Amino acid sequence: MKRTVLAMALAAPLAAAAQAESYTIDPIHSFIYFSIDHLGVSTLHGRFNKSSGKFSIDRAGKKGALDLTIEAASVDTGDNDKGSRPRSRDEHLRSPDFFNVAEFPRLTYKATGVKFSGDNPAEVEGQLTMLGVTKPVTLKVDRWTCRDHPMSKRPMCGGNASGSVKRTDFGMKYGVPAIGDEVRLLVNFEAYKDQ
């Protein structure tokens, strides 16, 4: 009897550790979109075309982790052709006025906590580092689905998350207030379970 209890006590931490599942973000189907007020007239939309990362989820323990890296130079608002202008909008966004990609080639987001609703993550609290400044940013998980990929049959999870930041909090002050300070974020992601 004592041996059974001892074996169960020793196995309990291993069983708990086995509950966490690790996933690698699929860069082909995952993008960070943003939108910002432009001159009080319209909303400008863009995205980052290159990102990578991993997350883990422990549904039983109601825990999760996320590490995301965004390549700043991949910023894309659909204006890459400068025409007769000195530079295109996307070139300007890569300059020191905005993302300063030469000095700060990456943005990173690292989760510090995950809140659950039932078995699914509902909110991710984390730290965003941009232009060398780190600030807390909370993302609301608007959609979360896990299933086997219909063609490859590999286990996957994905969804959408949203949040917002004030760019001046990170030292990005160019054009404020004509170009908005609040930047709304939408993260679309798909990830495959690590084997």
Side-chain angles (χ1 to χ4, degrees):
M1 177 71 173
K2 288 182 181 178
R3 286 185 188 162
T4 303
V5 171
L6 179 59
M8 289 173 60
L10 291 173
L14 297 174
Q19 298 298 320
E21 298 176 341
S22 178
Y23 291 79
T24 299
I25 292 173
D26 176 3
I28 298 170
H29 296 101
S30 303
F31 297 97
I32 295 84
Y33 294 88
F34 60 87
S35 60
I36 190 168
D37 182 77
H38 188 252
L39 307 177
V41 174
S42 66
T43 302
L44 179 71
H45 298 271
R47 76 177 194 183
F48 292 93
N49 290 326
K50 293 183 181 177
S51 62
S52 60
K54 295 183 80 64
F55 68 81
S56 64
I57 183 168
D58 176 355
R59 290 179 181 86
K62 305 291 190 234
K63 296 178 184 173
L66 168 66
D67 283 294
L68 182 64
T69 300
I70 303 158
E71 300 298 326
S74 73
V75 65
D76 184 352
T77 63
D79 182 16
N80 287 303
D81 184 8
K82 68 179 183 175
S84 62
R85 300 171 293 168
R87 60 186 170 193
S88 70
R89 180 175 51 237
D90 290 348
E91 288 172 330
H92 191 193
L93 287 172
R94 294 181 188 107
S95 79
D97 287 339
F98 291 98
F99 289 102
N100 195 5
V101 302
E103 190 173 344
F104 302 102
R106 291 174 191 84
L107 294 78
T108 60
Y109 183 80
K110 186 175 185 71
T112 57
V114 179
K115 294 181 181 177
F116 279 72
S117 176
D119 288 337
N120 296 324
E123 191 174 271
V124 180
E125 297 170 342
Q127 298 285 321
L128 175 66
T129 300
M130 180 170 71
L131 297 172
V133 178
T134 302
K135 296 283 183 182
V137 173
T138 298
L139 297 174
K140 179 178 178 270
V141 180
D142 303 307
R143 179 179 184 183
W144 175 265
T145 303
C146 293
R147 59 181 289 190
D148 287 344
H149 188 282
M151 289 168 264
S152 72
K153 308 302 182 197
R154 289 176 60 194
M156 65 184 302
C157 291
N160 306 327
S162 59
S164 65
V165 298
K166 286 188 181 270
R167 63 189 180 98
T168 55
D169 288 347
F170 297 88
M172 188 187 291
K173 299 176 182 177
Y174 182 88
V176 174
I179 302 170
D181 188 13
E182 182 182 14
V183 181
R184 290 171 299 283
L185 304 171
L186 175 63
V187 181
N188 295 352
F189 63 94
E190 295 181 12
Y192 287 101
K193 186 176 178 182
D194 296 335
Q195 301 298 324

